[in-house]
Amino acid sequence: MQSTTPRKKPAARKSVPAKSVSPAEVLEVAVIGTGFSGLGMGIRLKKAGITNFKIFEKASEVGGTWRDNTYPGCACDVKSALYSYSFEPSAEWSNAYANQGEIFSYIRFCAEKYGMYPHIQFNSKVVSGKFDEAAGEWVLTLDGGEIVRAKNVVAAPGPFAEPSVAKIDGINDFKGIKIHTARWDHSVDLTGKRVALIGTGATGVQVGPAIAPKVAHLTVFQRTPNWIMPRPNRDRTDAEKKDSRENPLKMRVDRLKNYWINEATAPFLILKYDAFKSFPAKMSHSYLERKVKDPVLREKLTPKYKFGCKRVLVSSDWYPTLQRDNVTLEDHGIKRITETGIETVDGKHYELDVIIFATGYEVRSTGAPFEVRGLNNESLGERWKDGAEAFDGITTHGFPNLYFLVGPFTGPGHTSVIAYSEAQIDYVWQAIELRRARQLKYITVKSEVEAEFVKIMDQRSEHTVWKSGCASWYLSPNGRNNTLYPGFNAEYRMRILRFNPSSYILVGQDGQPVKATFKDHLSTARMALTA
């Protein structure tokens, strides 16, 4: 399926929840979240002829992080050709790296085109889930108290959902305006204001250049400098868009080209060994030297950790922004926030009107995304208290018919997250179809199979740059990588191409394990080849 005509911006939708599911009705699938992964799961189910499903969304519109993040300059740092569904390429992107508005519009367009809105129950946050072993069903509780029963649950809450609140002394004393980038207040006019930007990660390097021209003065508080690569983002002409519409094959070729270019960069971004780090580090240093002539400022912006240990940023306007007359880079730590500004550890005080917190998100590497209880009433939060674990990043022993999209160990370290989630969606679909075809009560991964996968992930992670000594959101509090996949996306896709029944315990309606048949293996192989 291909989009060869211009997309129209979907009209604003009323925040009316879809028809609620009564406890007497049992869904085949309950999907949680309407970002790329959740919607993609719904689209896959509908294509397969499964219509008895609901997607539960805590907000009043689809979009996930691209709905919630509307700060100035918000955009994707993965090329649009790859940061979109493979089955719905778009000819309408304005440039190589789409901005938030275009991505949000694209998600709503896909939800409309593929008939997802009737399946979505908005304003419905899932707060708990308990597996009813006797019935082989999940019992979900929504924040309004509504009870929903489903045979399968697919959790796609997304890693960038909740803002990370900075823990700074005196944060509540400030009498001016405080804004977190993940909850941008568009009623605030920054024109002529004295503004502080706390945080210089992926969000900070986008919002800073967007607001610097209008503020009276911008003070950027940097804790750690980042490795930065240029981000060439030439606008696409109308002729180029027209050519893409008329030649959809070119869009597919462009996607493949970008995919394999990203795959080629994987060793340089992922592995910790100097043989792979010297070349990209030299490129980044060279870029810094070309763009920043002041040796003092350049030293402040020079990372002291290995290339890739923290997220490598792409920006062509961050360095020019820091050299504006109305911008100051402060690399001394913040001592406290006062009623009128910020005091640094070296005794300076900055008088401010607005403080912007570009301090990221509460990325979950431990605990469960909501209260989850599986077989024998076991708590997933307790199981994951020291770090989230799942076989292939998708399933966890003792929590039957529960699947995670972009779960533990499967975050992207070098490419588009959609390249991971689409492969996982097909895998989960195979599992759901197998359970339906065999009329199984439930499916749960074998504990030894999950343990072996986790062991492999831990061993491979020791060779990654993420474990080379710096602190990052990639790692759990105990320093373990539970977040990113330590390898090529192509290799991961091959790993999960087929749902292998031999890795799972299949339980029949009588509560007894049943053996996978040769026909089961043929069935999942056929689905894998036709996905």
Side-chain angles (χ1 to χ4, degrees):
M1 290 171 287
Q2 298 172 340
S3 174
T4 57
T5 57
R7 298 194 316 270
K8 293 182 179 179
K9 183 178 180 180
R13 303 184 66 86
K14 294 181 179 180
S15 301
V16 179
K19 178 180 178 293
S20 298
V21 180
S22 72
E25 298 177 273
V26 180
L27 294 171
E28 183 65 37
V29 188
V31 182
I32 301 171
T34 62
F36 271 107
S37 296
L39 284 179
M41 189 73 243
I43 292 169
R44 164 37 85 190
L45 292 172
K46 195 165 185 179
K47 284 176 62 179
I50 301 173
T51 58
N52 182 24
F53 70 91
K54 282 283 184 184
I55 308 176
F56 296 93
E57 171 53 56
K58 66 180 180 181
S60 59
E61 182 54 286
V62 301
T65 190
W66 298 107
R67 172 198 61 231
D68 297 338
N69 286 271
T70 61
Y71 60 84
C74 183
C76 188
D77 56 8
V78 174
K79 287 191 174 181
S80 308
L82 197 54
Y83 200 82
S84 51
Y85 291 127
S86 61
F87 56 83
E88 187 60 43
S90 174
E92 308 308 316
W93 302 117
S94 296
N95 40 47
Y97 299 88
N99 61 42
Q100 175 269 336
E102 284 194 300
I103 297 172
F104 185 33
S105 178
Y106 172 83
I107 295 173
R108 287 181 292 164
F109 166 80
C110 291
E112 189 76 56
K113 176 176 178 177
Y114 292 97
M116 288 297 101
Y117 279 108
H119 292 278
I120 302 172
Q121 185 165 320
F122 291 111
N123 305 309
S124 299
K125 182 179 181 179
V126 176
V127 295
S128 70
K130 179 177 173 58
F131 188 68
D132 181 344
E133 186 174 354
E137 298 167 1
W138 280 96
V139 181
L140 303 178
T141 302
L142 308 186
D143 57 356
E146 181 185 347
I147 302 298
V148 177
R149 299 186 75 94
K151 296 176 182 177
N152 304 277
V153 173
V154 182
F160 304 124
E162 297 299 325
S164 175
V165 180
K167 296 177 177 60
I168 303 174
D169 186 36
I171 191 171
N172 295 320
D173 297 336
F174 185 59
K175 300 299 184 183
I177 298 169
K178 294 179 292 186
I179 306 174
H180 194 289
T181 53
R183 299 292 184 266
W184 193 263
D185 186 349
H186 290 274
S187 68
V188 177
D189 183 5
L190 298 178
T191 304
K193 298 289 197 304
R194 298 166 299 176
V195 179
L197 176 62
I198 299 177
T200 56
T203 301
V205 302
Q206 291 183 347
V207 70
I211 66 174
K214 67 172 64 175
V215 304
H217 196 275
L218 176 66
T219 305
V220 177
F221 290 86
Q222 172 187 275
R223 183 169 59 181
T224 308
N226 292 287
W227 291 97
I228 295 182
M229 290 292 201
R231 180 177 179 260
N233 199 23
R234 181 182 63 83
D235 291 341
R236 297 179 69 232
T237 65
D238 290 339
E240 287 174 314
K241 295 178 186 178
K242 181 175 182 292
D243 184 46
S244 293
R245 284 183 221 118
E246 294 174 350
N247 299 280
L249 180 61
K250 289 184 66 175
M251 290 193 287
R252 292 195 174 278
V253 171
D254 190 39
R255 182 186 181 87
L256 283 172
K257 180 184 71 174
N258 280 285
Y259 175 81
W260 287 110
I261 288 174
N262 283 2
E263 286 293 273
T265 67
F268 300 96
L269 287 169
I270 294 175
L271 296 178
K272 67 181 181 182
Y273 304 110
D274 291 341
F276 292 100
K277 293 302 171 191
S278 59
F279 178 66
K282 285 180 180 178
M283 288 181 62
S284 184
H285 272 308
S286 176
Y287 176 57
L288 173 60
E289 289 173 355
R290 291 197 313 271
K291 294 298 181 180
V292 180
K293 300 303 182 184
D294 179 2
V296 176
L297 178 59
R298 192 164 63 234
E299 177 61 24
K300 289 183 178 181
L301 294 170
T302 300
K304 302 300 190 295
Y305 53 90
K306 281 195 174 186
F307 182 91
C309 188
K310 293 177 181 286
R311 184 177 179 179
V312 176
L313 307 182
V314 287
S315 175
S316 293
D317 49 14
W318 180 240
Y319 291 153
T321 295
L322 295 177
Q323 296 172 89
R324 291 177 58 94
D325 291 338
N326 69 329
V327 176
T328 299
L329 178 67
E330 176 58 75
D331 65 343
H332 288 90
I334 296 174
K335 181 178 181 181
R336 63 189 178 99
I337 296 176
T338 69
E339 290 188 357
T340 60
I342 292 177
E343 181 183 343
T344 58
V345 293
D346 63 340
K348 292 180 185 175
H349 188 273
Y350 292 88
E351 295 288 325
L352 301 166
D353 302 306
V354 180
I355 299 177
I356 297 172
F357 296 91
T359 48
Y361 310 86
E362 293 289 353
V363 178
R364 186 178 296 279
S365 59
T366 60
F370 51 92
E371 175 62 28
V372 180
R373 292 192 174 272
L375 297 176
N376 303 315
N377 203 37
E378 183 178 7
S379 166
L380 184 63
E382 278 297 306
R383 171 85 70 83
W384 285 2
K385 65 180 180 180
D386 294 323
E389 298 177 353
F391 173 57
D392 288 335
I394 302 172
T395 58
T396 302
H397 174 71
F399 295 85
N401 303 349
L402 172 63
Y403 307 97
F404 293 92
L405 299 181
V406 197
F409 308 115
T410 65
H414 66 285
T415 191
S416 171
V417 67
I418 298 173
Y420 285 87
S421 67
E422 285 193 341
Q424 294 171 341
I425 286 166
D426 284 335
Y427 183 93
V428 172
W429 164 63
Q430 293 173 43
I432 291 170
E433 288 284 23
L434 177 64
R435 195 206 62 76
R436 292 176 72 211
R438 289 292 305 275
Q439 296 185 332
L440 300 171
K441 180 173 285 189
Y442 64 80
I443 297 173
T444 185
V445 67
K446 295 176 180 177
S447 60
E448 64 271 21
V449 170
E450 180 182 349
E452 180 61 23
F453 174 78
V454 171
K455 178 182 176 182
I456 291 171
M457 292 297 99
D458 284 341
Q459 289 173 342
R460 289 173 56 168
S461 289
E462 291 302 316
H463 299 279
T464 67
V465 70
W466 315 316
K467 298 291 296 291
S468 63
C470 73
S472 75
W473 60 264
Y474 299 154
L475 305 180
S476 60
N478 62 9
R480 185 184 183 201
N481 167 43
N482 297 84
T483 307
L484 303 184
Y485 188 70
F488 293 98
N489 174 259
E491 180 256 330
Y492 177 73
R493 293 173 72 91
M494 290 301 297
R495 175 188 288 274
I496 67 167
L497 180 63
R498 182 178 79 90
F499 180 88
N500 186 353
S502 298
S503 298
Y504 289 79
I505 299 170
L506 312 181
V507 177
Q509 291 299 324
D510 60 358
Q512 298 301 310
V514 298
K515 288 186 177 181
T517 65
F518 181 65
K519 184 178 179 181
D520 294 333
H521 287 277
L522 283 179
S523 174
T524 55
R526 177 183 56 80
M527 285 189 285
L529 293 173
T530 58

